[in-house]
Amino acid sequence: MKKIISFLFLLQTIAAFALPCAERVEKAGWTYFSIPDKAYPEADSVRYVVSKLFNPENPTVFFSQGSGNYPVLIYYDYDDGRTWNHVMIPPFSVKEYTEKYNFVVIAKPGTPICKPYTEGPPPLIDTAFGDYTIFNKFDFLDYYVEQLNQVVDIIRKRSNPKSPFFFIGNSQGGPVVTKLADKYPQKVQRLVIQACGVLGRLTGKGYEHRRLMDIGQISSEEAQKRIDEVYARYQWLQEYSKSDRKESPYSDEDHSAIMNDVSWNFDIMLPRLQNINCPLLFVFGTADIQTRENDLLPFFFTRWGKDNLTMMPILDANHTFMKTITDPETSEKKQEYIGQEVFARIVEWFEKKE
C-alpha cells in the first residue's frame, strides 16, 4: 500500500512539474514531448522539444548536447510578473531560422527540462538537480545514440520522406551523432561535429600538460609525470571495464561513472569517420585544447580517399566559442561570445549543394 501511495505521489509531482514547464517551453517557441524509452525501459522516459513552427517539408536539425546535466530551458521570473524563458541548449538562438528549418533538442536522462536562472555559470554536473542516480546510470554513449534514434524515427513519421535530416553534435554530443551516422547511415544527410576531438576525452589532457610546459607554468619533468598518470588512468579504465570490480581508487567515483568514462574514451570517433559518406563538417576553436587533434583529420581523409570533409576552424575561440579580442589601442584582452556567428556559418554550409 505504501508503495502505491508513493508511486501516486510521484506521478502527481511529475504532473505538477510538467505543466508549467511545458508552458514555459511553449512561450519560448518550442513544443515539449515525452515518450516511453523502448531501448532502455528501465531508464527515464525520452523527453525532447521541437521548434513550434514545424514544417514537414523543411530540413530538420537535431542537436545532441555536451557533457553535464544541464536543462534544456532556463527561465527567470521578474518581480513585476514578466517571465523570461530561453532554450539554452543548443548554445545559440535558432529563432531567425525556424521558418526554413525544424529544430529538435533532447533532454538528458533524469534531468528536468526547465531550471530557474541563477547568477554565475552553473556546475557542469549538479548532483542535486533532478534524479542524479538516473542521469549517472545512463550517461554513456550507447544510451544517447538509441535515445536520439527513437526521436529521429518519430520525427521522420511527421516529415516528408524526402526532407533531409541534419545533425549537430556538440562536445560530448559529437560521438553520439557520429555513432548514429555510422550505425544508421540512411537516417543522416549531413553531420556537424562541433567542439569535439576525435580521440576521446583523455587525449586533451596530454596536450594540456605539454602546453603548460611550453608556457613555463610547469617543468618538463612535471609535464611528463602528469602525462604518465593519464596513460595509467587509461590503462586502468580498460582493466576495470573487463573486471567485476565495483570500487575505484580514484576519489569517490562509482561504477556507473567509471563505465561512462570508458564509453567516451574507448569507443572513439576516428575509426567511425572512415565509414561515414554523407557531408561532414568539423567546427572547433583553435584555442580549444580538447580539439587539438582535429588538425590531423585532413591527413586521414586524404589517406582514406574520402572527400566529404569540410574543416571550419574558428580562430582564437575556445571550447565554448568565447573568442579572445585584443583592443588595438590599449592592448587589453577581453572575451567575446561568437556562438551565433558560428551557427550562421553552419547554416551556410547546410545550404551548400555538394
Side-chain angles (χ1 to χ4, degrees), residues 136-200:
N136 187 42
K137 184 176 181 180
F138 294 99
D139 184 37
F140 61 90
L141 179 56
D142 284 337
Y143 172 78
Y144 288 119
V145 172
E146 292 310 318
Q147 180 197 48
L148 175 59
N149 184 50
Q150 292 177 75
V151 178
V152 168
D153 288 344
I154 289 173
I155 301 298
R156 176 48 75 195
K157 291 177 182 178
R158 294 181 57 189
S159 304
N160 183 316
K162 295 183 179 180
S163 297
F165 280 6
F166 304 154
F167 294 79
I168 301 176
N170 182 72
S171 193
Q172 178 178 282
V176 176
V177 297
T178 302
K179 189 164 186 176
L180 181 88
D182 184 16
K183 193 173 181 180
Y184 307 105
Q186 73 281 6
K187 298 183 179 184
V188 181
Q189 280 68 61
R190 283 181 184 257
L191 186 62
V192 179
I193 310 300
Q194 176 177 289
C196 181
V198 296
L199 295 178

Side-chain angles (χ1 to χ4, degrees), residues 209 221-234:
H209 299 321
E221 290 80 8
E222 178 63 22
Q224 191 58 54
K225 176 185 175 183
R226 294 183 184 184
I227 290 171
D228 288 341
E229 289 172 353
V230 173
Y231 294 154
R233 165 75 178 184
Y234 197 77

